[in-house]
């Protein structure tokens, strides 16, 4: 009898836990899909402004394919390089938990995919919902190699706002009539600034205000009364952009794949790399209304592309459709920093944020431009920045240099010496009036491949301090592999005694790219819970070329789940 006393409850509890396990297993995995895509990178003919241009594209599409996934899905993207340039693809904003090998920045997490070669990116979307995007992360290829990455809620759950009738990605881009690769090559030679673009684009099209373009203007049809979701992405290379729709209010509900407390505005501003999800209700007289974007240019006196791109919001019931020209919106002035600041200050995370309060690594990085004295032996033609110099840029006076024979991640994982050092300074070695009249002797940074090492789980606070060296401007700083809370922003020099009173530790927005105000600062916080090597850089590509970057090396924690995965077999080597 004794023997039979226990089996029943044991059996019962086994059954119970088995079914519980199956339930949990089923509810968490039943909907997760593995989605496979092929990206063929190749030269394609693109007609713009009365001419045919050969440009690198993905699958002969410009912009490239929109990827749609649900939170929890795994993406497997095979990239075949059939073009003549090296390429890599970066999944901008995807956390890449433990899968740093799939992040994409050239010479940081992988060597480039050489012409004729291929590489398969595999990663899982974990806990992110909203709009992200993908783009080439090699030279200036991303001018034409980019697309939307839309993350819907897990199957069975819905948006935390009115379900929109329709959704449309709005990719803002920047167009050169010259080959963008030639534009940056020339600038690298001369040391000067690259030529500004010839146009901005909405979903690859220039719109009605440019030569030979109006027949291809993007039209977004709507029915009166419906509420739609626009997923706006700034994919421009070098320009912050204002975006608006004539006569319509925009309700901001998310940014960088995190939900926000909704707020209403007539204009939004995005730095390159940023995304913003807005609801728009068709509550105006049935007609055609311009959707428009143009520059927010914070740098005084710097040349910029001052053109305006348009698309059309078209009420289907408007009759006759096209007898009158669309209503044109008013846009802020190019240098309207007030509007940009007010907009950024309206961001609150939708729910209570999990901001770290005890800080392990307290960091202070200056971000800004510089001028290099003409290197000995260089000819004047290579030093065409002001007073026979070359433009440069830096963080904490280190101008970031990429390696060429190993990726940083590979060098870290395999312990290859001589590729990088881990002495990136936690603070500037010399304190000065960052936003004042900076002495010329501080304009010249040093080149280096310096990483900052973080222990797994470290709680990080980072002050990003803009400088006025050469020209102060708004820098959109992007961190790979992480989202961070933007707990405060301001103008002038950050004051660690008084500015802490501005910290929002309750509901600050969670983003992957922060616009550091012109001649100002931003404070961000994150927990280093993703091991690997993660680039942080200005998303104005020209500044990245000049070295406005650094990288974090986040060490493994304990056990497999806190460690970087092994590299995939087809990882490109240099
Ligand atoms: Cu969107 Cu390092 O890039």
């Amino acid at each position: 009898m004794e023997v039979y006393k226990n089996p029943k409850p044991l059996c019962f509890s086994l059954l119970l836990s088995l079914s519980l396990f199956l339930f949990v297993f089923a509810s968490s995995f039943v909907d997760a899909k593995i989605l496979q895509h092929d990206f063929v990178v190749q030269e394609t003919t693109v007609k713009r402004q009365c001419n045919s241009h050969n440009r690198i594209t993905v699958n002969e599409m410009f912009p490239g394919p929109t990827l749609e996934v649900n939170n929890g899905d795994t993406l497997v993207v095979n990239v075949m390089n059939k073009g003549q340039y090296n390429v890599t693809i970066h999944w901008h904003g995807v956390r890449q938990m433990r899968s740093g090998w799939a992040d994409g920045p050239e010479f940081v997490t992988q060597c480039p995919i050489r012409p004729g070669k291929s590489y398969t990116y595999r990663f899982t979307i974990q806990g992110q919902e909203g709009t992200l995007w993908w783009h080439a992360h090699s030279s200036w290829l991303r001018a034409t190699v980019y697309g939307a990455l839309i993350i819907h809620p897990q199957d069975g759950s819905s948006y935390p706002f009115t379900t929109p009738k329709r959704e449309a990605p709005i990719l803002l881009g920047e167009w050169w009539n010259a080959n963008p690769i030639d534009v940056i090559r020339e600038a690298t030679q001369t040391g000067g600034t690259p030529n500004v673009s010839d146009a901005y684009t909405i979903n690859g099209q220039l719109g009605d205000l440019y030569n030979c373009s109006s027949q291809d203007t993007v039209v977004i049809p709507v029915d009166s009364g419906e509420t739609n979701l626009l997923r706006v992405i700034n994919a421009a290379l070098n320009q912050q952009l204002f975006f608006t729709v004539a006569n319509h209010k925009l309700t901001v509900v998310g940014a960088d794949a995190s939900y926000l407390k909704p707020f209403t505005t007539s204009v939004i501003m995005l730095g390159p790399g940023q995304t913003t999800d807005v609801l728009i209700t068709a509550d105006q007289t049935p007609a055609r209304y311009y959707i428009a974007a143009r520059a927010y240019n914070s740098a005084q006196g710097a040349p910029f592309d001052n053109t305006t791109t348009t698309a059309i919001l078209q009420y289907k019931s408007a009759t006759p459709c096209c007898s009158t020209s669309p209503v044109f919106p008013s846009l802020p002035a190019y240098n309207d920093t007030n509007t940009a600041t007010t907009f950024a200050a309206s961001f609150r995370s939708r729910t209570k944020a999990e901001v770290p309060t005890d800080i392990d690594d307290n960091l202070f990085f200056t971000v800004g431009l510089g001028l290099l004295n003409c290197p000995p032996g260089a000819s004047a033609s290579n030093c065409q920045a002001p007073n026979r110099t070359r433009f440069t840029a830096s963080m904490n006076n280190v101008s970031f240099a990429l390696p060429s024979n190993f990726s940083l991640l590979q060098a870290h994982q395999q312990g290859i010496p001589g590729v990088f050092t881990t002495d990136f300074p936690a603070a500037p070695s010399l304190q000065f009036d960052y936003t004042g009249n900076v002495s010329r002797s501080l304009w010249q940074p040093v080149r280096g491949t310096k990483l900052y090492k973080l222990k797994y789980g470290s709680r990080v606070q980072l002050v990003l301090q803009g400088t006025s060296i050469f020209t102060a401007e708004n820098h959109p700083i992007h961190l790979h592999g992480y989202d961070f809370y933007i707990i405060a922003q301001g103008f002038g020099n950050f004051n660690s005694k008084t500015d802490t009173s501005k910290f929002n530790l309750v509901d600050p927005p969670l983003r992957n790219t922060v616009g550091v105000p012109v001649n100002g600062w931003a404070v961000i916080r994150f927990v280093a819970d993703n091991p690997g090597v993660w680039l942080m850089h200005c998303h104005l590509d020209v500044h990245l070329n000049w070295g406005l970057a650094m990288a974090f090396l986040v060490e493994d924690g304990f056990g497999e789940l806190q460690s970087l995965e092994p590299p995939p077999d087809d990882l490109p080597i240099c």
Side-chain angles (χ1 to χ4, degrees):
M1 286 304 281
E2 287 290 328
V3 181
Y4 291 98
K5 230 177 176 177
N6 286 324
K8 226 176 173 179
L10 180 72
C11 185
F12 179 74
S13 63
L14 254 177
L15 256 176
L16 188 77
S17 50
L18 183 71
S19 52
L20 199 77
F21 171 77
L22 277 175
F23 175 75
V24 170
F25 184 81
S27 54
S28 59
F29 290 109
V30 78
D31 299 328
K33 302 176 290 298
I34 297 177
L35 303 162
Q36 308 228 11
H37 293 273
D38 286 323
F39 274 21
V40 180
V41 177
Q42 66 191 106
E43 202 166 73
T44 311
T45 304
V46 181
K47 286 209 181 69
R48 292 295 180 279
Q49 294 209 307
C50 323
N51 286 308
S52 294
H53 309 266
N54 289 336
R55 292 290 180 271
I56 301 293
T57 62
V58 167
N59 300 351
E60 302 194 288
M61 293 164 75
F62 172 60
T66 295
L67 303 185
E68 296 203 44
V69 305
N70 292 95
N71 182 3
D73 289 350
T74 296
L75 270 163
V76 178
V77 186
N78 179 244
V79 176
M80 274 160 285
N81 186 0
K82 295 193 175 167
Q84 70 271 43
Y85 305 109
N86 291 338
V87 74
T88 67
I89 302 290
H90 167 51
W91 314 92
H92 181 114
V94 173
R95 290 266 349 244
Q96 300 288 6
M97 295 301 291
R98 302 178 49 227
S99 56
W101 305 107
D103 190 39
E106 184 177 270
F107 297 116
V108 178
T109 58
Q110 68 169 95
C111 298
I113 309 170
R114 307 286 178 193
K117 300 281 196 267
S118 64
Y119 177 46
T120 302
Y121 294 86
R122 283 167 208 276
F123 53 93
T124 300
I125 306 291
Q126 294 183 47
Q128 297 185 285
E129 290 181 14
T131 306
L132 294 174
W133 60 301
W134 55 266
H135 62 78
H137 211 300
S138 177
S139 183
W140 271 21
L141 272 192
R142 81 170 177 88
T144 51
V145 178
Y146 64 87
L149 170 53
I150 292 172
I151 312 170
H152 297 286
Q154 241 156 2
D155 273 343
S157 56
S158 52
Y159 297 125
F161 46 81
T162 336
T163 305
K165 189 72 194 305
R166 281 180 250 250
E167 302 188 1
I170 304 274
L171 291 129
L172 309 177
E174 201 168 8
W175 173 262
W176 278 260
N177 286 326
N179 180 351
I181 303 295
D182 296 339
V183 174
I184 185 57
R185 279 188 183 162
E186 189 200 320
T188 308
Q189 267 236 312
T190 64
T193 48
N195 293 340
V196 297
S197 53
D198 296 290
Y200 298 109
T201 55
I202 293 178
N203 294 349
Q205 297 296 340
L206 285 62
D208 291 358
L209 306 184
Y210 299 92
N211 279 346
C212 307
S213 303
S214 55
Q215 65 285 2
D216 296 316
T217 299
V218 170
V219 174
I220 304 213
V222 292
D223 277 315
S224 281
E226 71 187 18
T227 296
N228 296 321
L229 178 65
L230 303 181
R231 301 171 176 275
V232 190
I233 300 165
N234 186 348
L237 262 78
N238 295 313
Q239 194 63 60
Q240 288 86 349
L241 295 166
F242 286 121
F243 173 90
T244 191
V245 182
N247 292 24
H248 289 74
K249 287 267 175 262
L250 306 172
T251 301
V252 178
V253 292
D256 295 5
S258 290
Y259 293 119
L260 296 169
K261 288 194 177 75
F263 66 95
T264 297
T265 175
S266 57
V267 59
I268 66 175
M269 197 288 282
L270 304 95
Q274 295 184 317
T275 74
T276 305
D277 288 356
V278 298
L279 292 173
I280 176 169
T281 301
D283 55 5
Q284 296 297 304
T285 314
R288 296 190 304 150
Y289 298 88
Y290 273 125
I291 296 169
R294 72 173 196 188
Y296 162 50
N297 197 58
S298 61
Q300 262 187 29
F304 69 101
D305 174 352
N306 64 358
T307 63
T308 304
T309 181
T310 55
I312 297 171
L313 185 77
Q314 182 166 316
Y315 284 64
K316 287 194 258 172
S317 58
T319 46
C321 143
C322 307
S323 54
T324 55
S325 54
V327 181
F328 200 83
S330 69
L331 278 148
Y334 296 115
N335 61 356
D336 189 346
T337 290
N338 265 341
T339 295
T341 307
T342 310
F343 176 63
S346 310
F347 279 57
R348 298 279 180 281
S349 69
R350 192 181 69 90
T351 52
K352 192 179 167 336
E354 285 162 29
V355 191
T357 47
D358 298 319
I359 299 300
D360 303 302
D361 286 87
N362 208 330
L363 308 176
F364 187 106
F365 296 175
T366 60
V367 300
L369 305 184
L371 293 179
L372 282 179
N373 295 329
C374 201
S379 82
S381 65
N382 303 126
C383 301
Q384 295 189 24
N387 307 316
R388 260 190 112 239
T389 59
R390 292 175 60 82
F391 276 110
T392 182
S394 66
M395 288 189 172
N396 275 354
N397 207 38
V398 184
S399 186
F400 194 70
L402 288 168
S404 57
N405 45 357
F406 294 99
S407 75
L408 297 172
L409 190 57
Q410 194 190 0
H412 160 57
Q413 198 241 359
Q414 297 177 2
I416 300 163
V419 179
F420 62 82
T421 55
T422 53
D423 56 347
F424 188 87
S429 50
L430 184 79
Q431 292 183 20
F432 57 97
D433 179 3
Y434 307 109
T435 52
N437 195 354
V438 183
S439 146
R440 259 316 279 267
S441 63
L442 300 173
W443 285 29
Q444 175 145 315
V446 291
R447 261 171 77 84
T449 310
K450 295 178 187 296
L451 276 50
Y452 188 89
K453 201 187 266 188
L454 291 169
K455 286 219 152 33
Y456 181 90
S458 171
R459 295 154 297 183
V460 181
Q461 172 174 297
L462 169 57
V463 177
L464 293 161
Q465 173 69 60
T467 78
S468 55
I469 294 174
F470 188 71
T471 314
E473 69 177 290
N474 177 301
H475 294 281
I477 302 294
H478 171 50
L479 173 58
H480 285 232
Y482 285 88
D483 286 328
F484 48 74
Y485 290 106
I486 305 172
I487 61 168
Q489 283 171 282
F491 292 100
N493 298 334
F494 175 74
N495 183 323
S496 59
K497 301 226 159 48
T498 53
D499 285 328
T500 46
S501 67
K502 301 184 179 129
F503 286 4
N504 175 3
L505 302 178
V506 179
D507 57 0
L510 188 62
R511 303 201 73 162
N512 62 54
T513 305
V514 57
V516 178
V518 48
N519 244 323
W521 50 268
V523 184
I524 65 171
R525 284 188 185 182
F526 63 95
V527 178
D529 59 357
N530 191 13
V533 175
W534 303 107
L535 189 65
M536 185 170 74
H537 63 93
C538 182
H539 217 286
L540 304 174
D541 266 27
V542 54
H543 293 180
L544 174 58
N545 295 119
W546 290 342
L548 218 175
M550 58 79 66
F552 288 105
L553 191 170
V554 180
E555 295 177 312
D556 283 345
F558 294 109
E560 196 185 322
L561 293 179
Q562 297 184 357
S563 300
L564 178 70
E565 289 168 357
D569 291 338
D570 61 341
L571 182 74
I573 47 171
C574 291

